[in-house]
Amino acid sequence: MKNPGSSPTGLAAAMALALIPCGAQTARADADGARARHVIVISVDGLHESDLEAYIASHATSTLAKFVNEGVSYSNAHTPFPSDSFPGLTAIMTGAHPRSAGVYYDDSWNRSLLPAGTTSCAGVAPGVEVTYFEQLDIDLNSIDAGSGVGDLSTFAAIRQNIYKMSQQARDAIDPKQLPVDPATCQPVYPHTYLRVNTIFEVAKAHGLHT
């Protein structure tokens, strides 16, 4: 556990890269001022732009090559600092620097929130290690994170049952592992920990589906 008030001590070398491609037909339509109908976001942890270029050069007929060559590819992106997966992907989805988003790492110390599992908040001193990663799963030993979708003991069973998982990620989170808001005495889920909105919220506010 990190000391109170400390910042994350390690900087991972991984960088999140996102492709937001449209099909060739849509890309051409955009040039005429038409509206794109679908957007696909592909995030590959640790994949550098040079790695993508090398892959496309040696796999010219691959789906990724088609996305880049026929769709829209923006290669002038830069990772935020610290260049870790969590703040990197957060930056892609919000456009915010870690200082604005409030996310520097997936394991950090927060001076304002209360310890995880707190149910009676009066008089509790603030300060908690915030761990927004697989530690939050209801069942750390289950492929479905404890969602209870059924048998997952074989590949055939996984193919049959894994899609029964809830589309709401919070359903697989153990709220007792979450930090607590002293104002409401309620767990703080990952999406409410952010200080800014995301592209998904912007899309939904304009009547779009995500």
Side-chain angles (χ1 to χ4, degrees), residues 128-157:
V128 59
E129 182 183 15
V130 179
T131 55
Y132 286 133
F133 52 90
E134 59 272 12
Q135 182 67 31
L136 301 181
D137 290 353
I138 294 175
D139 185 351
L140 294 174
N141 298 314
S142 177
I143 296 175
D144 68 351
S147 299
V149 299
D151 180 26
L152 297 172
S153 60
T154 65
F155 285 118

mmCIF file of all heavy atoms in Angstrom, residues 128-157:
data_model
loop_
_atom_site.group_PDB
_atom_site.id
_atom_site.type_symbol
_atom_site.label_atom_id
_atom_site.label_comp_id
_atom_site.label_asym_id
_atom_site.label_seq_id
_atom_site.Cartn_x
_atom_site.Cartn_y
_atom_site.Cartn_z
ATOM 1 N N VAL A 128 -7.688 6.733 1.488
ATOM 2 C CA VAL A 128 -7.893 5.348 1.079
ATOM 3 C C VAL A 128 -7.071 5.037 -0.170
ATOM 4 O O VAL A 128 -6.856 5.895 -1.021
ATOM 5 C CB VAL A 128 -9.395 5.084 0.790
ATOM 6 C CG1 VAL A 128 -9.911 5.996 -0.313
ATOM 7 C CG2 VAL A 128 -9.639 3.626 0.416
ATOM 8 N N GLU A 129 -6.613 3.799 -0.251
ATOM 9 C CA GLU A 129 -5.976 3.320 -1.475
ATOM 10 C C GLU A 129 -7.081 2.980 -2.472
ATOM 11 O O GLU A 129 -7.962 2.169 -2.181
ATOM 12 C CB GLU A 129 -5.124 2.082 -1.194
ATOM 13 C CG GLU A 129 -4.387 1.567 -2.423
ATOM 14 C CD GLU A 129 -3.603 0.298 -2.138
ATOM 15 O OE1 GLU A 129 -3.848 -0.338 -1.094
ATOM 16 O OE2 GLU A 129 -2.745 -0.052 -2.973
ATOM 17 N N VAL A 130 -7.053 3.604 -3.626
ATOM 18 C CA VAL A 130 -8.064 3.375 -4.653
ATOM 19 C C VAL A 130 -7.501 2.399 -5.677
ATOM 20 O O VAL A 130 -6.494 2.682 -6.326
ATOM 21 C CB VAL A 130 -8.468 4.696 -5.341
ATOM 22 C CG1 VAL A 130 -9.498 4.435 -6.437
ATOM 23 C CG2 VAL A 130 -9.023 5.677 -4.317
ATOM 24 N N THR A 131 -8.151 1.251 -5.826
ATOM 25 C CA THR A 131 -7.659 0.206 -6.730
ATOM 26 C C THR A 131 -8.729 -0.141 -7.745
ATOM 27 O O THR A 131 -9.578 -0.998 -7.505
ATOM 28 C CB THR A 131 -7.271 -1.060 -5.938
ATOM 29 O OG1 THR A 131 -8.397 -1.481 -5.150
ATOM 30 C CG2 THR A 131 -6.107 -0.780 -5.011
ATOM 31 N N TYR A 132 -8.696 0.524 -8.891
ATOM 32 C CA TYR A 132 -9.678 0.262 -9.938
ATOM 33 C C TYR A 132 -9.103 -0.719 -10.965
ATOM 34 O O TYR A 132 -8.786 -0.355 -12.089
ATOM 35 C CB TYR A 132 -10.101 1.559 -10.611
ATOM 36 C CG TYR A 132 -11.027 2.410 -9.766
ATOM 37 C CD1 TYR A 132 -10.817 3.769 -9.612
ATOM 38 C CD2 TYR A 132 -12.122 1.838 -9.121
ATOM 39 C CE1 TYR A 132 -11.665 4.541 -8.840
ATOM 40 C CE2 TYR A 132 -12.977 2.604 -8.342
ATOM 41 C CZ TYR A 132 -12.746 3.950 -8.205
ATOM 42 O OH TYR A 132 -13.599 4.713 -7.430
ATOM 43 N N PHE A 133 -8.956 -1.961 -10.572
ATOM 44 C CA PHE A 133 -8.534 -3.012 -11.496
ATOM 45 C C PHE A 133 -9.218 -4.301 -11.076
ATOM 46 O O PHE A 133 -10.234 -4.265 -10.370
ATOM 47 C CB PHE A 133 -7.005 -3.133 -11.568
ATOM 48 C CG PHE A 133 -6.311 -3.265 -10.237
ATOM 49 C CD1 PHE A 133 -6.082 -4.507 -9.672
ATOM 50 C CD2 PHE A 133 -5.873 -2.135 -9.549
ATOM 51 C CE1 PHE A 133 -5.430 -4.633 -8.454
ATOM 52 C CE2 PHE A 133 -5.215 -2.245 -8.334
ATOM 53 C CZ PHE A 133 -4.998 -3.505 -7.782
ATOM 54 N N GLU A 134 -8.704 -5.464 -11.501
ATOM 55 C CA GLU A 134 -9.414 -6.721 -11.269
ATOM 56 C C GLU A 134 -9.634 -7.055 -9.801
ATOM 57 O O GLU A 134 -10.432 -7.939 -9.471
ATOM 58 C CB GLU A 134 -8.688 -7.881 -11.957
ATOM 59 C CG GLU A 134 -7.253 -8.096 -11.512
ATOM 60 C CD GLU A 134 -6.258 -7.281 -12.318
ATOM 61 O OE1 GLU A 134 -6.681 -6.379 -13.072
ATOM 62 O OE2 GLU A 134 -5.056 -7.546 -12.193
ATOM 63 N N GLN A 135 -8.968 -6.349 -8.910
ATOM 64 C CA GLN A 135 -9.174 -6.554 -7.480
ATOM 65 C C GLN A 135 -10.627 -6.308 -7.083
ATOM 66 O O GLN A 135 -11.103 -6.799 -6.057
ATOM 67 C CB GLN A 135 -8.244 -5.620 -6.691
ATOM 68 C CG GLN A 135 -8.318 -5.763 -5.181
ATOM 69 C CD GLN A 135 -7.799 -7.109 -4.701
ATOM 70 O OE1 GLN A 135 -6.907 -7.679 -5.323
ATOM 71 N NE2 GLN A 135 -8.354 -7.619 -3.609
ATOM 72 N N LEU A 136 -11.360 -5.572 -7.910
ATOM 73 C CA LEU A 136 -12.751 -5.240 -7.604
ATOM 74 C C LEU A 136 -13.729 -6.360 -7.941
ATOM 75 O O LEU A 136 -14.901 -6.281 -7.580
ATOM 76 C CB LEU A 136 -13.169 -3.979 -8.376
ATOM 77 C CG LEU A 136 -12.381 -2.696 -8.124
ATOM 78 C CD1 LEU A 136 -12.967 -1.569 -8.953
ATOM 79 C CD2 LEU A 136 -12.384 -2.337 -6.653
ATOM 80 N N ASP A 137 -13.261 -7.397 -8.634
ATOM 81 C CA ASP A 137 -14.165 -8.470 -9.050
ATOM 82 C C ASP A 137 -14.861 -9.119 -7.857
ATOM 83 O O ASP A 137 -14.271 -9.286 -6.787
ATOM 84 C CB ASP A 137 -13.398 -9.557 -9.808
ATOM 85 C CG ASP A 137 -12.925 -9.092 -11.171
ATOM 86 O OD1 ASP A 137 -13.305 -7.977 -11.582
ATOM 87 O OD2 ASP A 137 -12.171 -9.841 -11.819
ATOM 88 N N ILE A 138 -16.096 -9.524 -8.071
ATOM 89 C CA ILE A 138 -16.818 -10.259 -7.039
ATOM 90 C C ILE A 138 -16.094 -11.559 -6.723
ATOM 91 O O ILE A 138 -15.970 -11.962 -5.571
ATOM 92 C CB ILE A 138 -18.263 -10.544 -7.506
ATOM 93 C CG1 ILE A 138 -19.044 -9.223 -7.632
ATOM 94 C CG2 ILE A 138 -18.970 -11.484 -6.536
ATOM 95 C CD1 ILE A 138 -20.431 -9.388 -8.200
ATOM 96 N N ASP A 139 -15.582 -12.218 -7.764
ATOM 97 C CA ASP A 139 -14.831 -13.464 -7.592
ATOM 98 C C ASP A 139 -13.558 -13.373 -8.425
ATOM 99 O O ASP A 139 -13.602 -13.429 -9.654
ATOM 100 C CB ASP A 139 -15.673 -14.661 -8.037
ATOM 101 C CG ASP A 139 -14.979 -15.998 -7.771
ATOM 102 O OD1 ASP A 139 -13.786 -15.991 -7.397
ATOM 103 O OD2 ASP A 139 -15.636 -17.042 -7.940
ATOM 104 N N LEU A 140 -12.424 -13.236 -7.760
ATOM 105 C CA LEU A 140 -11.150 -13.085 -8.463
ATOM 106 C C LEU A 140 -10.732 -14.349 -9.201
ATOM 107 O O LEU A 140 -9.876 -14.300 -10.085
ATOM 108 C CB LEU A 140 -10.053 -12.695 -7.467
ATOM 109 C CG LEU A 140 -10.187 -11.322 -6.809
ATOM 110 C CD1 LEU A 140 -9.109 -11.138 -5.754
ATOM 111 C CD2 LEU A 140 -10.095 -10.225 -7.850
ATOM 112 N N ASN A 141 -11.309 -15.476 -8.856
ATOM 113 C CA ASN A 141 -10.909 -16.753 -9.446
ATOM 114 C C ASN A 141 -11.831 -17.212 -10.568
ATOM 115 O O ASN A 141 -11.676 -18.318 -11.085
ATOM 116 C CB ASN A 141 -10.860 -17.836 -8.359
ATOM 117 C CG ASN A 141 -9.836 -17.525 -7.287
ATOM 118 O OD1 ASN A 141 -8.708 -17.157 -7.588
ATOM 119 N ND2 ASN A 141 -10.235 -17.652 -6.030
ATOM 120 N N SER A 142 -12.792 -16.384 -10.937
ATOM 121 C CA SER A 142 -13.753 -16.771 -11.969
ATOM 122 C C SER A 142 -13.558 -15.944 -13.229
ATOM 123 O O SER A 142 -13.310 -14.736 -13.166
ATOM 124 C CB SER A 142 -15.183 -16.589 -11.453
ATOM 125 O OG SER A 142 -16.127 -16.892 -12.459
ATOM 126 N N ILE A 143 -13.678 -16.602 -14.379
ATOM 127 C CA ILE A 143 -13.525 -15.909 -15.655
ATOM 128 C C ILE A 143 -14.571 -14.812 -15.816
ATOM 129 O O ILE A 143 -14.311 -13.764 -16.411
ATOM 130 C CB ILE A 143 -13.633 -16.914 -16.826
ATOM 131 C CG1 ILE A 143 -12.475 -17.911 -16.770
ATOM 132 C CG2 ILE A 143 -13.629 -16.193 -18.172
ATOM 133 C CD1 ILE A 143 -12.560 -19.001 -17.819
ATOM 134 N N ASP A 144 -15.766 -15.046 -15.269
ATOM 135 C CA ASP A 144 -16.838 -14.056 -15.410
ATOM 136 C C ASP A 144 -16.856 -13.062 -14.257
ATOM 137 O O ASP A 144 -17.824 -12.319 -14.087
ATOM 138 C CB ASP A 144 -18.194 -14.744 -15.539
ATOM 139 C CG ASP A 144 -18.613 -15.449 -14.251
ATOM 140 O OD1 ASP A 144 -17.784 -15.555 -13.326
ATOM 141 O OD2 ASP A 144 -19.770 -15.903 -14.175
ATOM 142 N N ALA A 145 -15.774 -13.035 -13.467
ATOM 143 C CA ALA A 145 -15.617 -12.101 -12.345
ATOM 144 C C ALA A 145 -16.655 -12.307 -11.253
ATOM 145 O O ALA A 145 -16.852 -11.447 -10.403
ATOM 146 C CB ALA A 145 -15.659 -10.654 -12.834
ATOM 147 N N GLY A 146 -17.331 -13.457 -11.287
ATOM 148 C CA GLY A 146 -18.325 -13.743 -10.264
ATOM 149 C C GLY A 146 -19.733 -13.369 -10.658
ATOM 150 O O GLY A 146 -20.617 -13.254 -9.808
ATOM 151 N N SER A 147 -19.974 -13.202 -11.959
ATOM 152 C CA SER A 147 -21.303 -12.810 -12.429
ATOM 153 C C SER A 147 -22.314 -13.945 -12.347
ATOM 154 O O SER A 147 -23.520 -13.711 -12.400
ATOM 155 C CB SER A 147 -21.224 -12.309 -13.877
ATOM 156 O OG SER A 147 -20.390 -11.177 -13.967
ATOM 157 N N GLY A 148 -21.818 -15.191 -12.251
ATOM 158 C CA GLY A 148 -22.718 -16.327 -12.124
ATOM 159 C C GLY A 148 -23.433 -16.693 -13.405
ATOM 160 O O GLY A 148 -24.634 -16.980 -13.395
ATOM 161 N N VAL A 149 -22.700 -16.711 -14.531
ATOM 162 C CA VAL A 149 -23.341 -17.003 -15.817
ATOM 163 C C VAL A 149 -23.513 -18.493 -16.063
ATOM 164 O O VAL A 149 -24.181 -18.889 -17.020
ATOM 165 C CB VAL A 149 -22.541 -16.384 -16.980
ATOM 166 C CG1 VAL A 149 -22.465 -14.884 -16.838
ATOM 167 C CG2 VAL A 149 -21.141 -16.990 -17.066
ATOM 168 N N GLY A 150 -22.900 -19.328 -15.226
ATOM 169 C CA GLY A 150 -23.031 -20.765 -15.418
ATOM 170 C C GLY A 150 -21.684 -21.446 -15.595
ATOM 171 O O GLY A 150 -20.637 -20.896 -15.236
ATOM 172 N N ASP A 151 -21.712 -22.627 -16.167
ATOM 173 C CA ASP A 151 -20.511 -23.446 -16.336
ATOM 174 C C ASP A 151 -19.507 -22.769 -17.265
ATOM 175 O O ASP A 151 -19.837 -22.368 -18.378
ATOM 176 C CB ASP A 151 -20.910 -24.809 -16.908
ATOM 177 C CG ASP A 151 -19.695 -25.716 -17.113
ATOM 178 O OD1 ASP A 151 -18.692 -25.530 -16.398
ATOM 179 O OD2 ASP A 151 -19.768 -26.596 -17.990
ATOM 180 N N LEU A 152 -18.267 -22.640 -16.790
ATOM 181 C CA LEU A 152 -17.183 -22.069 -17.599
ATOM 182 C C LEU A 152 -15.957 -22.970 -17.540
ATOM 183 O O LEU A 152 -14.830 -22.508 -17.691
ATOM 184 C CB LEU A 152 -16.827 -20.663 -17.096
ATOM 185 C CG LEU A 152 -17.926 -19.603 -17.191
ATOM 186 C CD1 LEU A 152 -17.495 -18.325 -16.494
ATOM 187 C CD2 LEU A 152 -18.284 -19.317 -18.643
ATOM 188 N N SER A 153 -16.187 -24.253 -17.348
ATOM 189 C CA SER A 153 -15.085 -25.190 -17.126
ATOM 190 C C SER A 153 -14.416 -25.653 -18.411
ATOM 191 O O SER A 153 -13.297 -26.167 -18.379
ATOM 192 C CB SER A 153 -15.583 -26.408 -16.343
ATOM 193 O OG SER A 153 -16.611 -27.087 -17.071
ATOM 194 N N THR A 154 -15.073 -25.500 -19.549
ATOM 195 C CA THR A 154 -14.500 -25.911 -20.830
ATOM 196 C C THR A 154 -14.647 -24.776 -21.832
ATOM 197 O O THR A 154 -15.443 -23.849 -21.644
ATOM 198 C CB THR A 154 -15.209 -27.161 -21.379
ATOM 199 O OG1 THR A 154 -16.574 -26.826 -21.688
ATOM 200 C CG2 THR A 154 -15.177 -28.298 -20.362
ATOM 201 N N PHE A 155 -13.884 -24.867 -22.933
ATOM 202 C CA PHE A 155 -13.986 -23.837 -23.966
ATOM 203 C C PHE A 155 -15.389 -23.803 -24.565
ATOM 204 O O PHE A 155 -15.927 -22.737 -24.869
ATOM 205 C CB PHE A 155 -12.950 -24.075 -25.064
ATOM 206 C CG PHE A 155 -11.557 -23.696 -24.658
ATOM 207 C CD1 PHE A 155 -10.546 -24.642 -24.610
ATOM 208 C CD2 PHE A 155 -11.249 -22.386 -24.318
ATOM 209 C CE1 PHE A 155 -9.262 -24.294 -24.225
ATOM 210 C CE2 PHE A 155 -9.972 -22.023 -23.935
ATOM 211 C CZ PHE A 155 -8.967 -22.986 -23.890
ATOM 212 N N ALA A 156 -15.986 -24.975 -24.727
ATOM 213 C CA ALA A 156 -17.341 -25.031 -25.276
ATOM 214 C C ALA A 156 -18.327 -24.338 -24.343
ATOM 215 O O ALA A 156 -19.211 -23.589 -24.785
ATOM 216 C CB ALA A 156 -17.750 -26.489 -25.497
ATOM 217 N N ALA A 157 -18.165 -24.564 -23.041
ATOM 218 C CA ALA A 157 -19.056 -23.933 -22.063
ATOM 219 C C ALA A 157 -18.838 -22.425 -22.020
ATOM 220 O O ALA A 157 -19.793 -21.651 -21.879
ATOM 221 C CB ALA A 157 -18.820 -24.542 -20.685
#
